[in-house]
Amino acid sequence: MDQIAPNKDIEQRPNSKKVFVKTYGCQMNVYDSQRMTDALSESGYESTDTVDDADLVLINTCHIREKAAEKVYSQLGRLQKMKKARAANGRELMVGVAGCVAQAEGAEIARRAPVVDVIIGPTTYHRLPEAIARARGGERVIETEYAVEDKFEYLPQINREKTLARGVSAFLTVQEGCDKFCTFCVVPYTRGSEVSRPVAQILTEAHRLVEAGVREITLLGQNVNAWHGEGPDGRSWSLGDLLYHLAEIPGIARLRYTTSHPRDMDETLINAHRDLRKLMPYLHLPVQAGSDRILKAMNRRHTAADYMALIDRIRNVRPDIALSGDFITGFPGETDEDFEATMRLVEEVRYAQAFSFKYSARPGTPGAELKDHVPEDVKAERLERLQALLFRQQTEFQQSLVGQTTDVLVEKPGRFADQVVGRSPWLLPVIIDAKDIKIGDIIQARISKTGTNSLHAEIA
Ligand code: SAH
Ligand code: SF4
Ligand code: F3S
Protein backbone atom coordinates (compact mmCIF):
# COMPACT_ATOMS: atom_id res chain seq x y z
CA MET A 1 0.00 0.00 0.00
CA ASP A 2 1.42 3.35 -1.03
CA GLN A 3 1.71 5.86 1.76
CA ILE A 4 0.27 9.17 0.79
CA ALA A 5 2.71 11.97 1.48
CA PRO A 6 1.58 14.23 4.31
CA ASN A 7 0.55 17.63 3.13
CA LYS A 8 1.25 20.30 5.69
CA ASP A 9 -0.50 22.99 3.67
CA ILE A 10 -3.91 21.40 3.82
CA GLU A 11 -5.20 23.55 6.66
CA GLN A 12 -4.43 26.69 4.71
CA ARG A 13 -6.01 25.56 1.46
CA PRO A 14 -9.20 27.56 1.04
CA ASN A 15 -10.94 25.13 -1.27
CA SER A 16 -10.18 21.87 0.44
CA LYS A 17 -13.05 19.45 0.69
CA LYS A 18 -14.75 18.54 3.93
CA VAL A 19 -15.61 15.20 5.47
CA PHE A 20 -18.20 14.48 8.13
CA VAL A 21 -17.75 11.19 9.96
CA LYS A 22 -20.48 9.59 12.06
CA THR A 23 -19.30 6.78 14.31
CA TYR A 24 -21.33 3.95 15.83
CA GLY A 25 -20.21 0.96 17.86
CA CYS A 26 -17.17 0.24 19.97
CA GLN A 27 -13.91 2.07 20.70
CA MET A 28 -12.28 0.29 17.78
CA ASN A 29 -14.62 2.15 15.50
CA VAL A 30 -13.74 5.42 17.27
CA TYR A 31 -10.08 4.69 16.63
CA ASP A 32 -10.75 3.70 13.01
CA SER A 33 -12.74 6.88 12.40
CA GLN A 34 -9.82 8.96 13.65
CA ARG A 35 -7.37 7.12 11.41
CA MET A 36 -9.72 7.48 8.44
CA THR A 37 -9.98 11.21 9.12
CA ASP A 38 -6.17 11.41 9.34
CA ALA A 39 -5.77 9.49 6.09
CA LEU A 40 -8.32 11.68 4.33
CA SER A 41 -6.71 14.87 5.58
CA GLU A 42 -3.55 13.79 3.79
CA SER A 43 -5.53 13.81 0.57
CA GLY A 44 -7.09 17.20 1.18
CA TYR A 45 -10.18 16.52 3.28
CA GLU A 46 -10.68 18.66 6.35
CA SER A 47 -13.10 17.31 8.92
CA THR A 48 -16.30 19.08 9.86
CA ASP A 49 -18.93 18.62 12.57
CA THR A 50 -21.75 19.74 10.31
CA VAL A 51 -23.29 17.45 7.72
CA ASP A 52 -24.39 20.41 5.63
CA ASP A 53 -20.79 21.55 5.16
CA ALA A 54 -19.58 18.13 4.10
CA ASP A 55 -18.60 17.05 0.61
CA LEU A 56 -18.13 13.53 1.90
CA VAL A 57 -20.21 11.81 4.59
CA LEU A 58 -18.76 8.68 6.05
CA ILE A 59 -20.77 6.42 8.33
CA ASN A 60 -18.69 4.06 10.43
CA THR A 61 -21.12 1.34 11.34
CA CYS A 62 -21.71 -1.35 13.96
CA HIS A 63 -23.34 -4.73 13.37
CA ILE A 64 -23.40 -6.04 16.91
CA ARG A 65 -27.16 -5.88 17.51
CA GLU A 66 -30.04 -5.53 15.09
CA LYS A 67 -30.87 -2.00 16.27
CA ALA A 68 -27.33 -0.80 15.60
CA ALA A 69 -27.31 -2.24 12.09
CA GLU A 70 -30.74 -0.89 11.14
CA LYS A 71 -29.72 2.69 11.99
CA VAL A 72 -27.51 2.67 8.92
CA TYR A 73 -30.39 2.36 6.51
CA SER A 74 -32.38 5.19 8.05
CA GLN A 75 -29.28 7.41 7.90
CA LEU A 76 -28.78 6.48 4.27
CA GLY A 77 -32.38 7.38 3.51
CA ARG A 78 -31.75 10.91 4.81
CA LEU A 79 -28.53 11.19 2.84
CA GLN A 80 -30.30 10.10 -0.32
CA LYS A 81 -32.64 13.11 -0.01
CA MET A 82 -29.74 15.40 0.73
CA LYS A 83 -27.80 14.20 -2.29
CA LYS A 84 -30.80 14.82 -4.52
CA ALA A 85 -31.36 18.33 -3.16
CA ARG A 86 -27.69 19.12 -3.68
CA ALA A 87 -27.61 17.73 -7.20
CA ALA A 88 -30.35 20.23 -8.03
CA ASN A 89 -27.94 22.99 -6.96
CA GLY A 90 -25.01 21.47 -8.77
CA ARG A 91 -23.23 20.54 -5.56
CA GLU A 92 -21.71 17.15 -4.99
CA LEU A 93 -22.22 14.82 -2.03
CA MET A 94 -20.24 11.61 -1.69
CA VAL A 95 -21.38 8.93 0.74
CA GLY A 96 -19.25 6.18 2.22
CA VAL A 97 -20.21 3.32 4.53
CA ALA A 98 -17.40 1.87 6.61
CA GLY A 99 -17.19 -0.54 9.54
CA CYS A 100 -18.86 -3.79 10.48
CA VAL A 101 -22.16 -3.41 8.59
CA ALA A 102 -20.17 -2.61 5.45
CA GLN A 103 -18.23 -5.81 6.02
CA ALA A 104 -21.23 -7.99 6.84
CA GLU A 105 -23.73 -6.66 4.30
CA GLY A 106 -21.74 -4.74 1.71
CA ALA A 107 -23.68 -6.21 -1.20
CA GLU A 108 -27.02 -5.55 0.47
CA ILE A 109 -26.11 -1.95 1.18
CA ALA A 110 -25.13 -1.52 -2.45
CA ARG A 111 -28.48 -2.95 -3.52
CA ARG A 112 -30.70 -1.16 -0.98
CA ALA A 113 -28.99 2.22 -1.00
CA PRO A 114 -28.05 3.64 -4.38
CA VAL A 115 -26.84 6.80 -2.59
CA VAL A 116 -23.70 5.00 -1.42
CA ASP A 117 -20.52 5.59 -3.44
CA VAL A 118 -18.01 3.70 -1.34
CA ILE A 119 -18.35 0.64 0.89
CA ILE A 120 -15.29 -0.14 2.92
CA GLY A 121 -14.78 -2.82 5.57
CA PRO A 122 -13.14 -2.21 8.95
CA THR A 123 -9.91 -3.90 7.94
CA THR A 124 -9.46 -1.99 4.68
CA TYR A 125 -9.81 1.68 5.65
CA HIS A 126 -6.20 2.40 4.67
CA ARG A 127 -7.49 2.08 1.10
CA LEU A 128 -10.08 4.78 1.69
CA PRO A 129 -8.36 7.78 0.04
CA GLU A 130 -7.79 5.71 -3.07
CA ALA A 131 -11.35 4.37 -2.96
CA ILE A 132 -12.73 7.91 -2.72
CA ALA A 133 -10.63 8.96 -5.68
CA ARG A 134 -11.97 6.05 -7.71
CA ALA A 135 -15.53 6.83 -6.70
CA ARG A 136 -15.08 10.44 -7.75
CA GLY A 137 -14.14 9.05 -11.12
CA GLY A 138 -17.59 7.48 -11.28
CA GLU A 139 -16.87 3.98 -10.01
CA ARG A 140 -18.86 2.35 -7.23
CA VAL A 141 -16.28 0.93 -4.88
CA ILE A 142 -16.70 -2.06 -2.57
CA GLU A 143 -13.59 -2.96 -0.55
CA THR A 144 -14.30 -5.67 1.95
CA GLU A 145 -11.62 -8.32 1.78
CA TYR A 146 -9.61 -8.72 4.95
CA ALA A 147 -6.36 -6.78 4.87
CA VAL A 148 -5.73 -6.07 8.50
CA GLU A 149 -1.93 -6.50 8.29
CA ASP A 150 -1.76 -3.70 5.69
CA LYS A 151 -4.03 -1.58 7.83
CA PHE A 152 -1.74 -2.00 10.84
CA GLU A 153 1.27 -1.02 8.82
CA TYR A 154 -0.40 2.03 7.44
CA LEU A 155 0.16 4.89 9.84
CA PRO A 156 -1.19 8.25 8.80
CA GLN A 157 0.67 11.27 10.15
CA ILE A 158 -0.23 12.00 13.72
CA ASN A 159 -0.59 15.72 13.82
CA ARG A 160 -0.07 17.40 17.19
CA GLU A 161 -2.90 19.87 16.85
CA LYS A 162 -5.43 17.32 15.72
CA THR A 163 -4.36 14.76 18.28
CA LEU A 164 -4.64 17.22 21.14
CA ALA A 165 -7.99 18.43 19.87
CA ARG A 166 -9.13 14.84 20.47
CA GLY A 167 -7.77 14.93 24.00
CA VAL A 168 -4.79 13.92 26.08
CA SER A 169 -6.11 10.38 26.24
CA ALA A 170 -5.79 8.32 23.06
CA PHE A 171 -6.67 4.88 21.75
CA LEU A 172 -4.08 2.66 20.15
CA THR A 173 -5.21 -0.51 18.38
CA VAL A 174 -2.86 -3.41 19.05
CA GLN A 175 -5.05 -6.33 18.07
CA GLU A 176 -8.01 -6.90 15.85
CA GLY A 177 -10.40 -9.72 15.11
CA CYS A 178 -11.62 -12.63 17.13
CA ASP A 179 -11.24 -16.41 17.07
CA LYS A 180 -13.50 -17.06 20.04
CA PHE A 181 -16.77 -17.49 18.14
CA CYS A 182 -19.20 -16.86 20.96
CA THR A 183 -22.41 -18.17 19.44
CA PHE A 184 -24.26 -14.83 19.71
CA CYS A 185 -21.60 -12.62 18.18
CA VAL A 186 -20.90 -11.24 14.70
CA VAL A 187 -17.43 -9.90 15.41
CA PRO A 188 -15.45 -12.95 14.21
CA TYR A 189 -17.25 -12.53 10.87
CA THR A 190 -16.97 -8.76 10.55
CA ARG A 191 -13.42 -8.27 11.82
CA GLY A 192 -11.93 -11.60 10.79
CA SER A 193 -9.57 -13.77 12.79
CA GLU A 194 -7.29 -12.55 15.56
CA VAL A 195 -4.31 -10.59 14.34
CA SER A 196 -1.75 -8.99 16.65
CA ARG A 197 0.00 -5.85 15.58
CA PRO A 198 3.80 -6.14 15.66
CA VAL A 199 5.60 -4.53 18.62
CA ALA A 200 7.62 -2.12 16.47
CA GLN A 201 4.46 -0.59 14.95
CA ILE A 202 2.85 -0.24 18.36
CA LEU A 203 5.92 1.49 19.76
CA THR A 204 6.15 3.84 16.79
CA GLU A 205 2.54 4.88 17.23
CA ALA A 206 2.89 5.19 21.01
CA HIS A 207 5.93 7.48 20.62
CA ARG A 208 4.12 9.62 18.08
CA LEU A 209 1.15 10.01 20.37
CA VAL A 210 3.39 11.00 23.27
CA GLU A 211 5.21 13.54 21.10
CA ALA A 212 1.82 14.97 20.16
CA GLY A 213 1.09 15.52 23.87
CA VAL A 214 -0.94 12.43 24.76
CA ARG A 215 -0.63 11.35 28.42
CA GLU A 216 -2.92 8.34 28.61
CA ILE A 217 -3.00 5.45 26.14
CA THR A 218 -5.71 2.82 25.98
CA LEU A 219 -4.65 -0.27 24.06
CA LEU A 220 -7.51 -1.59 22.00
CA GLY A 221 -8.49 -4.96 20.61
CA GLN A 222 -11.64 -7.05 20.29
CA ASN A 223 -9.68 -9.48 22.43
CA VAL A 224 -6.91 -7.19 23.49
CA ASN A 225 -5.44 -9.66 25.96
CA ALA A 226 -5.06 -12.26 23.21
CA TRP A 227 -2.39 -9.94 21.81
CA HIS A 228 1.01 -11.58 21.49
CA GLY A 229 4.16 -10.74 19.63
CA GLU A 230 7.90 -10.94 19.51
CA GLY A 231 9.56 -8.48 21.85
CA PRO A 232 12.74 -6.56 21.00
CA ASP A 233 14.46 -9.03 23.34
CA GLY A 234 13.48 -11.89 21.00
CA ARG A 235 11.15 -13.37 23.62
CA SER A 236 7.52 -14.10 22.93
CA TRP A 237 5.46 -11.38 24.57
CA SER A 238 1.93 -11.33 25.89
CA LEU A 239 -0.07 -8.18 26.57
CA GLY A 240 1.37 -8.00 30.09
CA ASP A 241 4.93 -7.85 28.70
CA LEU A 242 3.88 -5.11 26.31
CA LEU A 243 2.41 -3.09 29.18
CA TYR A 244 5.59 -3.44 31.27
CA HIS A 245 7.52 -2.13 28.27
CA LEU A 246 5.18 0.78 27.51
CA ALA A 247 5.23 1.81 31.16
CA GLU A 248 8.93 2.60 30.71
CA ILE A 249 8.17 5.37 28.20
CA PRO A 250 8.53 8.53 30.32
CA GLY A 251 5.86 10.59 28.50
CA ILE A 252 3.16 8.02 29.13
CA ALA A 253 1.47 8.73 32.44
CA ARG A 254 -1.34 6.21 32.27
CA LEU A 255 -2.13 2.96 30.53
CA ARG A 256 -5.36 1.05 30.04
CA TYR A 257 -6.50 -1.78 27.78
CA THR A 258 -9.84 -3.05 26.55
CA THR A 259 -11.66 -5.42 25.85
CA SER A 260 -10.39 -8.53 27.55
CA HIS A 261 -11.62 -12.09 27.45
CA PRO A 262 -11.49 -14.05 30.75
CA ARG A 263 -9.65 -16.92 29.08
CA ASP A 264 -6.74 -14.71 28.09
CA MET A 265 -5.98 -13.10 31.48
CA ASP A 266 -2.54 -14.60 32.04
CA GLU A 267 -0.23 -14.37 35.04
CA THR A 268 1.94 -11.62 33.53
CA LEU A 269 -1.06 -9.43 32.83
CA ILE A 270 -2.45 -9.94 36.33
CA ASN A 271 0.94 -9.14 37.85
CA ALA A 272 1.15 -5.99 35.72
CA HIS A 273 -1.80 -4.75 37.76
CA ARG A 274 0.25 -5.35 40.89
CA ASP A 275 3.51 -3.84 39.62
CA LEU A 276 2.69 -0.96 37.31
CA ARG A 277 1.58 2.27 38.87
CA LYS A 278 0.83 3.59 35.40
CA LEU A 279 -1.63 0.79 34.71
CA MET A 280 -4.97 2.14 35.88
CA PRO A 281 -6.99 0.07 38.38
CA TYR A 282 -9.88 -0.57 36.04
CA LEU A 283 -10.69 -3.73 34.15
CA HIS A 284 -13.48 -4.42 31.70
CA LEU A 285 -13.91 -8.18 31.80
CA PRO A 286 -17.17 -9.33 30.19
CA VAL A 287 -18.77 -12.52 31.46
CA GLN A 288 -22.16 -12.31 29.65
CA ALA A 289 -24.02 -14.71 31.97
CA GLY A 290 -23.78 -16.51 35.29
CA SER A 291 -25.22 -19.90 34.38
CA ASP A 292 -22.76 -22.57 33.27
CA ARG A 293 -25.34 -24.07 30.96
CA ILE A 294 -25.77 -20.75 29.17
CA LEU A 295 -22.06 -19.99 29.19
CA LYS A 296 -21.56 -23.34 27.46
CA ALA A 297 -24.28 -22.63 24.89
CA MET A 298 -22.64 -19.25 24.29
CA ASN A 299 -19.31 -21.03 23.71
CA ARG A 300 -17.58 -18.80 26.26
CA ARG A 301 -15.43 -21.79 27.26
CA HIS A 302 -15.26 -20.98 30.94
CA THR A 303 -17.58 -21.51 33.91
CA ALA A 304 -18.96 -18.98 36.37
CA ALA A 305 -16.59 -20.43 38.99
CA ASP A 306 -13.60 -19.93 36.64
CA TYR A 307 -14.59 -16.30 36.28
CA MET A 308 -14.98 -15.81 40.03
CA ALA A 309 -11.61 -17.43 40.68
CA LEU A 310 -10.05 -15.06 38.17
CA ILE A 311 -11.67 -12.04 39.82
CA ASP A 312 -10.26 -13.22 43.16
CA ARG A 313 -6.75 -13.48 41.73
CA ILE A 314 -6.96 -10.00 40.25
CA ARG A 315 -8.35 -8.47 43.43
CA ASN A 316 -5.64 -10.20 45.42
CA VAL A 317 -2.94 -8.30 43.57
CA ARG A 318 -4.92 -5.09 43.11
CA PRO A 319 -7.61 -4.73 45.79
CA ASP A 320 -8.78 -1.31 44.59
CA ILE A 321 -9.43 -2.41 41.01
CA ALA A 322 -12.78 -1.30 39.57
CA LEU A 323 -14.46 -4.05 37.57
CA SER A 324 -16.71 -3.66 34.61
CA GLY A 325 -18.58 -6.26 32.57
CA ASP A 326 -20.96 -6.99 29.71
CA PHE A 327 -24.15 -9.03 30.05
CA ILE A 328 -26.75 -10.49 27.74
CA THR A 329 -30.24 -11.35 28.94
CA GLY A 330 -32.47 -13.85 27.17
CA PHE A 331 -29.94 -15.89 25.26
CA PRO A 332 -31.86 -18.79 23.62
CA GLY A 333 -32.81 -21.38 26.23
CA GLU A 334 -32.18 -19.07 29.21
CA THR A 335 -34.57 -20.08 31.99
CA ASP A 336 -35.56 -18.06 35.06
CA GLU A 337 -33.13 -20.19 37.01
CA ASP A 338 -30.29 -19.43 34.59
CA PHE A 339 -31.03 -15.75 34.88
CA GLU A 340 -30.96 -15.93 38.69
CA ALA A 341 -27.45 -17.34 38.37
CA THR A 342 -26.46 -14.17 36.50
CA MET A 343 -27.96 -12.05 39.28
CA ARG A 344 -26.03 -14.06 41.89
CA LEU A 345 -22.77 -13.66 40.00
CA VAL A 346 -23.29 -9.90 39.81
CA GLU A 347 -24.07 -9.77 43.55
CA GLU A 348 -20.86 -11.60 44.22
CA VAL A 349 -18.57 -9.58 41.95
CA ARG A 350 -19.84 -6.07 42.79
CA TYR A 351 -19.24 -4.18 39.55
CA ALA A 352 -18.21 -0.54 39.38
CA GLN A 353 -19.71 -0.22 35.92
CA ALA A 354 -21.40 -2.51 33.38
CA PHE A 355 -23.08 -2.76 30.02
CA SER A 356 -26.06 -5.03 29.50
CA PHE A 357 -28.18 -5.89 26.52
CA LYS A 358 -31.12 -7.98 25.44
CA TYR A 359 -30.03 -10.84 23.23
CA SER A 360 -30.38 -9.94 19.57
CA ALA A 361 -30.32 -12.81 17.08
CA ARG A 362 -27.74 -12.01 14.43
CA PRO A 363 -27.90 -13.52 10.96
CA GLY A 364 -25.12 -16.00 10.28
CA THR A 365 -24.29 -16.70 13.94
CA PRO A 366 -24.93 -20.16 15.47
CA GLY A 367 -27.10 -18.55 18.18
CA ALA A 368 -29.65 -17.47 15.60
CA GLU A 369 -30.15 -21.14 14.64
CA LEU A 370 -30.92 -22.26 18.20
CA LYS A 371 -34.43 -23.16 19.32
CA ASP A 372 -36.09 -21.84 22.48
CA HIS A 373 -35.78 -18.17 21.71
CA VAL A 374 -36.80 -16.17 24.76
CA PRO A 375 -39.81 -13.87 24.25
CA GLU A 376 -38.97 -10.15 23.98
CA ASP A 377 -40.92 -9.19 27.09
CA VAL A 378 -39.05 -11.75 29.19
CA LYS A 379 -35.70 -10.50 27.86
CA ALA A 380 -36.75 -6.96 28.69
CA GLU A 381 -37.98 -7.81 32.17
CA ARG A 382 -34.73 -9.60 32.99
CA LEU A 383 -32.71 -6.75 31.60
CA GLU A 384 -34.59 -4.30 33.76
CA ARG A 385 -33.91 -6.29 36.92
CA LEU A 386 -30.27 -6.76 36.03
CA GLN A 387 -29.80 -3.08 35.23
CA ALA A 388 -31.40 -2.05 38.50
CA LEU A 389 -28.90 -4.22 40.37
CA LEU A 390 -25.95 -2.99 38.32
CA PHE A 391 -27.04 0.60 38.81
CA ARG A 392 -27.19 0.06 42.57
CA GLN A 393 -23.67 -1.32 42.53
CA GLN A 394 -22.44 1.52 40.38
CA THR A 395 -23.91 4.06 42.78
CA GLU A 396 -22.37 2.26 45.75
CA PHE A 397 -19.01 2.22 44.07
CA GLN A 398 -19.14 5.92 43.28
CA GLN A 399 -20.22 6.79 46.79
CA SER A 400 -17.35 4.75 48.22
CA LEU A 401 -14.98 7.16 46.51
CA VAL A 402 -16.26 10.27 48.29
CA GLY A 403 -13.64 11.63 50.65
CA GLN A 404 -10.75 9.90 48.87
CA THR A 405 -7.86 11.84 47.42
CA THR A 406 -6.84 10.60 44.03
CA ASP A 407 -4.96 11.69 40.95
CA VAL A 408 -6.91 13.14 38.09
CA LEU A 409 -5.73 13.60 34.52
CA VAL A 410 -7.03 16.98 33.39
CA GLU A 411 -8.68 16.54 30.00
CA LYS A 412 -10.68 19.61 29.04
CA PRO A 413 -12.25 22.84 30.24
CA GLY A 414 -15.51 22.36 32.13
CA ARG A 415 -18.93 23.68 31.23
CA PHE A 416 -18.44 26.71 33.46
CA ALA A 417 -15.59 29.19 33.84
CA ASP A 418 -12.81 28.13 36.23
CA GLN A 419 -13.81 24.51 35.93
CA VAL A 420 -11.99 21.58 34.39
CA VAL A 421 -12.98 18.02 33.62
CA GLY A 422 -10.53 15.24 34.19
CA ARG A 423 -10.46 11.51 34.47
CA SER A 424 -10.13 9.45 37.60
CA PRO A 425 -8.09 6.23 37.66
CA TRP A 426 -11.45 4.38 37.52
CA LEU A 427 -12.35 6.03 34.21
CA LEU A 428 -15.13 8.14 35.73
CA PRO A 429 -14.96 11.80 34.75
CA VAL A 430 -14.14 14.22 37.55
CA ILE A 431 -15.34 17.82 37.60
CA ILE A 432 -13.06 20.21 39.47
CA ASP A 433 -13.61 23.87 40.26
CA ALA A 434 -10.21 25.44 39.93
CA LYS A 435 -8.33 28.17 38.15
CA ASP A 436 -5.15 28.02 36.10
CA ILE A 437 -4.96 24.32 35.60
CA LYS A 438 -3.31 23.01 32.47
CA ILE A 439 -4.90 20.38 30.25
CA GLY A 440 -2.75 17.26 30.43
CA ASP A 441 -1.63 17.85 34.02
CA ILE A 442 -2.17 15.18 36.63
CA ILE A 443 -3.37 16.73 39.84
CA GLN A 444 -4.33 15.50 43.27
CA ALA A 445 -7.97 16.03 44.03
CA ARG A 446 -10.28 15.15 46.86
CA ILE A 447 -13.62 13.71 45.77
CA SER A 448 -16.42 15.69 47.37
CA LYS A 449 -19.57 14.20 45.86
CA THR A 450 -20.97 12.07 43.07
CA GLY A 451 -22.97 13.31 40.09
CA THR A 452 -24.70 11.39 37.33
CA ASN A 453 -21.88 9.30 35.98
CA SER A 454 -19.27 11.73 37.20
CA LEU A 455 -17.50 12.81 40.35
CA HIS A 456 -16.95 16.26 41.79
CA ALA A 457 -13.68 17.10 43.45
CA GLU A 458 -11.58 19.86 44.99
CA ILE A 459 -7.89 20.35 44.58
CA ALA A 460 -6.15 18.56 47.41
N1 SAH B 1 -14.93 -8.74 22.50
C1 SAH B 1 -15.70 -8.38 23.57
C2 SAH B 1 -17.03 -7.73 23.27
C3 SAH B 1 -17.55 -7.59 21.92
S1 SAH B 1 -19.15 -6.96 21.66
C4 SAH B 1 -15.90 -9.58 24.45
O1 SAH B 1 -15.53 -10.66 24.15
O2 SAH B 1 -16.51 -9.46 25.46
C5 SAH B 1 -19.62 -6.08 23.09
C6 SAH B 1 -20.75 -6.70 23.84
O3 SAH B 1 -21.91 -6.71 23.08
C7 SAH B 1 -20.53 -8.15 24.21
O4 SAH B 1 -19.71 -8.31 25.31
C8 SAH B 1 -21.94 -8.61 24.45
O5 SAH B 1 -22.33 -8.40 25.78
C9 SAH B 1 -22.78 -7.73 23.54
N2 SAH B 1 -23.28 -8.49 22.40
C10 SAH B 1 -22.59 -9.07 21.42
N3 SAH B 1 -23.39 -9.71 20.56
C11 SAH B 1 -24.66 -9.54 21.02
C12 SAH B 1 -25.94 -9.97 20.60
N4 SAH B 1 -26.09 -10.75 19.52
N5 SAH B 1 -27.01 -9.59 21.32
C13 SAH B 1 -26.89 -8.84 22.42
N6 SAH B 1 -25.70 -8.40 22.87
C14 SAH B 1 -24.59 -8.75 22.19
FE1 SF4 C 1 -17.66 -11.60 20.18
FE2 SF4 C 1 -17.03 -13.50 21.89
FE3 SF4 C 1 -15.22 -12.58 20.21
FE4 SF4 C 1 -16.04 -11.04 22.19
S1 SF4 C 1 -14.93 -12.99 22.39
S2 SF4 C 1 -15.78 -10.44 20.07
S3 SF4 C 1 -18.18 -11.61 22.36
S4 SF4 C 1 -17.03 -13.73 19.67
FE1 F3S D 1 -19.82 -3.10 16.50
FE2 F3S D 1 -17.97 -4.01 14.93
FE3 F3S D 1 -17.33 -2.93 17.24
S1 F3S D 1 -19.91 -4.92 15.25
S2 F3S D 1 -19.06 -3.42 18.51
S3 F3S D 1 -18.26 -1.90 15.55
S4 F3S D 1 -16.34 -4.65 16.27
Side-chain angles (χ1 to χ4, degrees), residues 142-176:
I142 306 188
E143 285 270 14
T144 50
E145 4 100 55
Y146 294 113
V148 71
E149 282 92 351
D150 291 357
K151 161 179 165 176
F152 281 163
E153 219 168 282
Y154 177 69
L155 229 191
Q157 283 301 305
I158 292 175
N159 155 311
R160 184 181 168 89
E161 211 173 301
K162 218 181 305 159
T163 303
L164 277 186
R166 289 170 185 153
V168 289
S169 177
F171 291 138
L172 199 174
T173 294
V174 301
Q175 183 277 342
E176 188 154 337

Side-chain angles (χ1 to χ4, degrees), residues 11-25:
E11 312 298 338
Q12 281 83 45
R13 259 182 16 207
N15 290 326
S16 71
K17 294 200 168 287
K18 293 204 166 109
V19 56
F20 173 88
V21 185
K22 174 86 193 153
T23 307
Y24 296 99

Side-chain angles (χ1 to χ4, degrees), residues 234-430:
R235 270 195 320 122
S236 161
W237 278 12
S238 71
L239 187 71
D241 299 295
L242 180 63
L243 285 163
Y244 278 98
H245 190 81
L246 288 169
E248 298 289 324
I249 299 177
I252 298 179
R254 290 176 159 196
L255 287 162
R256 304 178 185 274
Y257 60 95
T258 201
T259 295
S260 297
H261 192 288
R263 282 180 60 93
D264 293 321
M265 286 302 297
D266 70 6
E267 188 81 25
T268 316
L269 185 53
I270 294 175
N271 288 341
H273 279 285
R274 176 195 63 199
D275 298 335
L276 300 177
R277 297 218 40 83
K278 290 184 181 180
L279 183 57
M280 292 294 100
Y282 181 94
L283 177 62
H284 183 61
L285 196 62
V287 65
Q288 316 297 351
S291 146
D292 288 342
R293 213 174 59 80
I294 295 298
L295 286 169
K296 187 148 193 260
M298 286 177 162
N299 192 32
R300 292 290 292 183
R301 295 185 295 152
H302 62 75
T303 61
D306 294 336
Y307 183 81
M308 287 312 306
L310 185 57
I311 298 289
D312 280 348
R313 280 172 65 205
I314 298 163
R315 280 197 167 132
N316 259 329
V317 301
R318 190 75 213 224
D320 67 336
I321 200 158
L323 291 165
S324 157
D326 288 346
F327 299 89
I328 296 176
T329 66
F331 183 80
E334 187 187 72
T335 61
D336 285 338
E337 209 176 300
D338 292 320
F339 175 66
E340 295 310 325
T342 300
M343 294 291 278
R344 279 199 302 277
L345 180 138
V346 172
E347 294 273 13
E348 216 176 312
V349 175
R350 289 171 291 114
Y351 286 94
Q353 158 89 54
F355 304 89
S356 46
F357 317 92
K358 285 189 287 183
Y359 171 71
S360 167
R362 305 305 291 130
T365 61
E369 308 296 320
L370 293 173
K371 294 197 184 54
D372 288 337
H373 277 268
V374 174
E376 276 309 306
D377 57 334
V378 177
K379 285 185 205 171
E381 202 181 298
R382 288 177 188 166
L383 185 67
E384 206 174 303
R385 274 188 59 204
L386 175 63
Q387 287 185 339
L389 173 60
L390 290 167
F391 182 74
R392 228 170 25 244
Q393 295 191 341
Q394 187 184 313
T395 311
E396 273 164 26
F397 170 73
Q398 292 177 15
Q399 269 155 7
S400 76
L401 301 174
V402 175
Q404 283 192 40
T405 297
T406 184
D407 45 68
V408 174
L409 170 62
V410 180
E411 290 196 304
K412 57 184 178 201
R415 204 158 358 131
F416 303 105
D418 298 330
Q419 194 180 65
V420 290
V421 182
R423 202 181 289 227
S424 69
W426 315 283
L427 207 56
L428 272 164
V430 188

